[in-house]
Structures are given as C-alpha cells and as structure tokens.
C-alpha cells in the first residue's frame, strides 16, 4: 500500500483516497458521469457524486497535514540513513569513527586493530574535528590581526 498523494478526498463512508486514484476507480467502475454513483472499494458503500464529480467531494485537510508531516519524517529518516551509510566501512560494515592521522582517511576500529592502519596513529574523528576547528579559528584570528595591522601601517604611511 502506498501513501496517498495530495489532494486527499474524504468519501461519505469516511474512507480516504487520493484524487488520482479515485478517478481511476471511477473509470474502472464505469462511473463517467458527474452525477454518478460508485462503490467505495473498501466498504462497498454506494457513493453519490452530487453533480460535480470528484471536485464535489470534501478534501481531508487533516489527512493531508498528516501525510505532509509523515513525508517530512520519512525524508529526514532517509537522509539520516544515507548519512549513516556514508560513514560505514564498505569492507567491514562498521561505523568509521576514527581518523588515520598518517593517511588522513576515516577508518573503522577493525582497520585499526588488524588492517592496513594497525601501525598508524589514529584519533576519534569528533576529537580531530574539534581540534582542527579551534586551530582554524586561531589561524583566522591571526590573519585578521595581520590584516588590521597592515591596514593601520598603510594608513600611517599615507597620512605622513
């Protein structure tokens, strides 16, 4: 069973269908008139279209809101799953949470113990990230200070 696609329509029997699916059901049941009758595919209750076809059916805003939220959650889960897979060791299937400091490559703990990196220095990726971020911030601060002092020297040279 697939998720409804918008708009979600509410039948008088309280079952929900997406408009596109409902239009296919109407064709299948030979209900081509806007004033026609058709059977709900779930409960078999007769539904009257009241002269406006599927456009005359009430939309289910609650179902639409729930669908939107569900799609957002599924997308977030899918993105998280993709990120998790991107951090998985292809050979061992373990999470790569270590960084080989010799090769600058992420590795899993198994590679540190028994792989090509067993004799290399390693550190946790999170720790290396934090350390390098701080170092980068310091470097930027030094560049800004040098830039300011150069600008002041240039101003003094121009003013004299």
């Amino acid at each position: 069973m697939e998720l409804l696609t918008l708009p979600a329509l509410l039948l008088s029997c309280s079952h929900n269908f997406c408009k596109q699916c409902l239009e296919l059901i109407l064709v299948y049941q030979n209900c081509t008139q806007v004033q026609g009758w058709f059977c709900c595919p779930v409960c078999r209750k007769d539904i009257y279209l009241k002269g406006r076809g599927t456009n005359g059916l009430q939309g289910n805003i609650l179902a639409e809101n729930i669908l939107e939220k569900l799609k957002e959650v599924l997308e977030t889960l899918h993105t998280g799953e993709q990120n998790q897979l991107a951090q998985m060791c292809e050979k061992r299937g373990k999470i790569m949470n270590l960084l080989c400091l010799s090769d600058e490559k992420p590795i899993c703990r198994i590679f540190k113990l028994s792989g090509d990196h067993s004799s290399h220095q390693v550190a946790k990726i999170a720790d290396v990230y934090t350390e390098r971020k701080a170092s980068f911030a310091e470097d930027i601060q030094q560049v800004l200070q040098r830039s300011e002092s150069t600008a002041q020297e240039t101003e003094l040279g121009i003013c004299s």
Side-chain angles (χ1 to χ4, degrees):
M1 187 170 180
E2 295 180 34
L3 291 176
L4 292 170
T5 55
L6 302 179
L9 300 176
L10 179 64
L11 302 182
S12 59
C13 60
S14 298
H15 289 112
N16 292 286
F17 291 91
C18 59
K19 184 174 183 175
Q20 181 181 359
C21 293
L22 193 55
E23 287 173 351
L24 289 173
I25 290 166
L26 295 176
V27 169
Y28 179 76
Q29 292 186 17
N30 291 324
C31 180
T32 55
Q33 302 172 14
V34 292
Q35 299 242 68
W37 291 84
F38 70 98
C39 280
C40 170
V42 177
C43 67
R44 313 307 285 163
K45 180 178 178 188
D46 286 333
I47 308 294
Y48 179 57
L49 291 177
K50 300 179 187 171
R52 292 188 55 209
T54 55
N55 293 332
L57 294 172
Q58 181 179 357
N60 189 337
I61 296 172
L62 177 62
E64 290 177 2
N65 289 340
I66 291 170
L67 278 171
E68 287 296 321
K69 188 65 176 170
L70 179 61
K71 286 178 182 179
E72 287 175 19
V73 169
L74 289 174
E75 191 173 301
T76 302
L77 287 174
H78 180 71
T79 302
E81 189 176 86
Q82 292 301 317
N83 289 341
Q84 186 77 17
L85 288 174
Q87 297 172 5
M88 298 294 278
C89 175
E90 291 179 12
K91 293 182 180 177
R92 306 273 202 262
K94 302 288 182 191
I95 294 175
M96 295 189 296
N97 59 354
L98 299 174
L99 182 71
C100 175
L101 299 174
S102 304
D103 298 336
E104 291 289 316
K105 292 183 179 178
I107 61 171
C108 70
R109 58 189 160 98
I110 305 297
F111 265 93
K112 170 57 181 156
L113 297 173
S114 62
D116 299 338
H117 304 272
S118 59
S119 63
H120 298 174
Q121 290 285 327
V122 298
K124 289 182 180 178
I125 290 176
D127 295 343
V128 172
Y129 171 78
T130 303
E131 182 181 305
R132 290 183 181 177
K133 182 179 171 184
S135 174
F136 182 67
E138 288 175 19
D139 291 346
I140 287 181
Q141 199 66 302
Q142 289 175 0
V143 168
L144 287 172
Q145 288 173 350
R146 285 187 203 139
S147 175
E148 287 174 4
S149 66
T150 303
Q152 286 175 352
E153 289 172 6
T154 305
E155 276 183 28
L156 289 175
I158 293 173
C159 293
S160 348

